């Protein structure tokens, strides 16, 4: 073993893969369409501090959920324009700079942005979030004129319009998305009239839409999961293949999660393993004890379900996943010893444990597996030479 043993677990981020995935979007997008890389939720669990400087060299914008995340980006000396897409309180807005644009989904937000301008002297550009059928955030079409009046009274600049699709990842039928697009086009037309000119920033697409619908490009797309090398869903991948007759996109997962064998444990035939005694050794068994658990983001529901890679060989997780400990059966893996590297998420040669596999085994999706990875796990950026 050439590597030092100082981390019991770590996350590796493939810088070249991240650049390549963003280049995939440059290739599929219409010319002149801006690319916003979504780095909310600690860059989908990858690590904001590591990911932000990398994507800042290949995206036009960064998009986050909260005002705090926007401040973190500035603290990391990222000076791209930033889009704050989520709910903000009046005090959240203090200390943001005028290259930080905020979504407004309510009239209150417009007043708060006005108040912030009067108090702090910073005029935050606003993108109105338009309700087109997701019924989560957003102003309905009939409320847009009023929003423009409130913005004018408050001295707030509306520079953009945005919406978000409700049903694009979960289906091969895209007529609801098309309806949302039509509603959005109407809203954009209306807003352009109200604000006296075409809006500078108009955007609707997440990864799935950016991959599948050129008509959802407008001036910008907001790409999250696929920048990190993942298809948003099986359905999106199938839709792509049906359209293009092949799976030639070349998205490459950026993240691998690794740990080490902390201890080898021999269990006699017939004995049970772990909390609740949910697994019984049907033969003399060799277990590897891994110093990782649900507190790190390895879901408890993966107990007796998932596999890890030990020396490139799949080894099943046995018994319950604990807060900081997971047990795997390495009886069939030759020559395992303490300190050996174990892949929880990622590949060794041809063998691969994907976020999609862990998502589906735990009754969830790749997004949740990634987003819940503990920010405390050390991150290492690899493959950095351009
Ligand atoms: C998270 C998010 C996105 C990115 O979605 P992906 O499916 O990860 O590409 C885009 N827009 C909004 C409003 C979001 O909240």
């Amino acid at each position: 073993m050439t590597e030092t043993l100082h981390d019991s677990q770590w996350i590796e981020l493939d810088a070249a893969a991240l650049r390549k995935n963003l280049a995939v979007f440059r290739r599929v997008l219409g010319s002149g369409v801006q690319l916003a890389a979504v780095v909310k939720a600690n860059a989908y669990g990858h690590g904001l501090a590591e990911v932000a400087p990398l994507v800042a060299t290949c995206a036009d914008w960064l998009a986050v959920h909260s005002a705090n995340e926007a401040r973190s980006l500035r603290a990391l000396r990222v000076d791209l324009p930033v889009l704050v897409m989520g709910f903000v309180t009046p005090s959240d807005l203090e200390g943001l700079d005028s290259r930080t644009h905020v979504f407004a989904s309510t009239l209150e937000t417009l007043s708060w942005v006005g108040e912030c301008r009067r108090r702090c002297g910073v005029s935050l550009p606003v993108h109105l979030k338009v309700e087109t059928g997701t019924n989560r955030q957003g102003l309905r079409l009939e409320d847009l004129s009023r929003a423009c009046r409130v913005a004018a009274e408050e001295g707030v600049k509306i520079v953009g319009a945005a919406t978000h699709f409700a049903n694009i990842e979960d289906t091969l039928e895209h007529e609801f998305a098309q309806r949302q697009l039509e509603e959005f086009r109407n809203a954009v037309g209306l807003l352009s009239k109200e604000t006296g000119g075409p809006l500078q920033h108009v955007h609707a697409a997440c990864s799935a839409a950016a991959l599948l619908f050129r008509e959802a490009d407008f001036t910008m797309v907001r790409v999250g999961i696929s920048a990190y090398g993942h298809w948003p869903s099986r359905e999106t991948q199938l839709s792509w293949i049906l359209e293009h007759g092949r799976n030639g996109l070349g998205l490459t997962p950026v993240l691998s999660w690794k740990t080490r064998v902390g201890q080898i444990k021999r269990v006699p035939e017939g004995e049970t393993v772990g909390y609740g005694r949910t697994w019984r050794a049907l033969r003399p068994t060799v277990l590897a004890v891994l110093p990782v658990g649900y507190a790190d983001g390895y879901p408890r529901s993966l107990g007796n379900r998932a596999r890890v890679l030990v020396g490139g060989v799949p080894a099943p997780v046995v018994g319950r996943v604990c807060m900081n400990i997971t047990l795997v059966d390495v009886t069939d893996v030759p020559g395992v010893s303490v300190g050996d590297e174990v892949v929880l998420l990622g590949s060794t040669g041809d063998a691969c444990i994907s976020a999609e596999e862990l998502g589906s085994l735990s009754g969830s999706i790749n997004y949740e597996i990634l987003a819940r990875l503990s920010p405390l796990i050390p991150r290492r950026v690899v493959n950095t030479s351009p």
Side-chain angles (χ1 to χ4, degrees):
M1 201 168 13
T2 53
E3 246 178 315
T4 52
L5 266 174
H6 61 258
D7 287 328
S8 60
Q9 59 168 313
W10 68 98
I11 281 169
E12 278 174 17
L13 302 168
D14 183 338
L18 189 57
R19 275 194 288 269
K20 198 175 125 223
N21 298 332
L22 289 167
V24 164
F25 280 92
R26 293 289 188 200
R27 220 165 51 233
V28 301
L29 292 177
S31 72
V33 177
Q34 294 195 303
L35 178 56
V38 182
V39 294
K40 66 190 179 193
N42 197 29
Y44 286 54
H46 290 59
L48 186 66
E50 291 76 15
V51 166
L54 292 172
V55 293
T57 63
C58 18
D60 304 302
W61 289 72
L62 294 183
V64 292
H65 171 72
S66 69
N68 264 338
E69 292 169 315
R71 273 187 283 274
S72 300
L73 286 172
R74 293 298 181 241
L76 291 163
R77 299 178 186 282
V78 171
D79 62 24
L80 286 189
V82 171
L83 203 52
V84 175
M85 305 188 295
F87 175 72
V88 284
T89 65
S91 58
D92 270 345
L93 295 171
E94 280 175 32
L96 295 181
D97 59 61
S98 61
R99 281 165 58 74
T100 303
H101 297 217
V102 297
F103 273 27
S105 301
T106 63
L107 301 181
E108 285 87 346
T109 305
L110 291 169
S111 315
W112 297 340
V113 173
E115 203 180 294
C116 172
R117 184 182 63 82
R118 290 187 294 276
R119 211 179 36 234
C120 314
V122 178
S123 189
L124 299 169
V126 165
H127 298 209
L128 285 185
K129 182 85 181 273
V130 182
E131 180 55 70
T132 59
T134 305
N135 279 315
R136 187 175 75 162
Q137 293 174 301
L139 292 150
R140 304 189 80 88
L141 255 65
E142 57 268 30
D143 299 325
L144 292 178
S145 300
R146 179 129 172 265
C148 290
R149 277 202 306 281
V150 171
E153 281 159 27
E154 297 279 353
V156 169
K157 281 184 298 200
I158 293 177
V159 301
T163 196
H164 194 55
F165 291 105
N167 192 25
I168 202 159
E169 288 93 4
D170 301 303
T171 175
L172 298 180
E173 314 273 319
H174 291 124
E175 89 238 355
F176 191 77
Q178 295 296 353
R179 256 172 36 216
Q180 283 190 279
L181 267 180
E182 203 176 301
E183 186 82 350
F184 185 53
R185 278 190 213 100
N186 292 336
V188 171
L190 202 150
L191 283 171
S192 303
K193 275 202 211 101
E194 292 278 349
T195 57
L199 289 169
Q200 238 179 315
H201 308 289
V202 178
H203 42 105
C206 52
S207 295
L211 291 170
L212 301 178
F213 300 138
R214 290 292 52 82
E215 63 269 42
D217 279 353
F218 300 101
T219 71
M220 171 159 78
V221 299
R222 309 182 302 259
V223 173
I225 193 82
S226 298
Y228 305 99
H230 299 267
W231 285 92
S233 66
R234 239 354 247 147
E235 288 80 355
T236 307
Q237 188 171 15
L238 276 173
S239 299
W240 170 276
I241 293 169
L242 287 173
E243 176 79 25
H244 297 84
R246 70 199 157 82
N247 178 14
L249 254 189
L251 294 174
T252 310
V254 169
L255 181 144
S256 314
W257 183 16
K258 299 180 180 175
T259 184
R260 294 187 187 283
V261 174
Q263 186 180 342
I264 305 277
K265 185 109 194 149
R266 289 173 196 284
V267 180
E269 183 181 336
E271 291 196 5
T272 61
V273 161
Y275 287 135
R277 308 182 65 207
T278 64
W279 192 84
R280 182 180 300 272
L282 299 177
R283 57 175 176 170
T285 297
V286 184
L287 298 183
V289 184
L290 308 180
V292 167
Y294 58 78
D296 304 296
Y298 199 77
R300 184 172 180 274
S301 52
L302 291 180
N304 292 319
R305 291 208 175 131
R307 311 164 306 153
V308 303
L309 299 175
V310 184
V313 181
V317 171
V318 297
R320 292 219 177 118
V321 171
C322 315
M323 192 178 288
N324 295 113
I325 297 172
T326 297
L327 304 163
V328 297
D329 180 354
V330 292
T331 315
D332 298 323
V333 187
V336 180
S337 46
V338 168
D340 283 0
E341 194 174 298
V342 175
V343 175
L344 301 164
L345 195 53
S347 323
T348 311
D350 287 340
C352 173
I353 310 288
S354 66
E356 290 68 28
E357 174 179 338
L358 297 190
S360 104
L361 288 173
S362 62
S364 184
I365 53 174
N366 49 6
Y367 289 75
E368 188 176 355
I369 294 294
L370 294 168
R372 292 172 73 106
L373 289 170
S374 168
L376 301 177
I377 304 168
R379 266 72 172 169
R380 298 181 191 165
V381 180
V382 300
N383 249 335
T384 47
S385 49

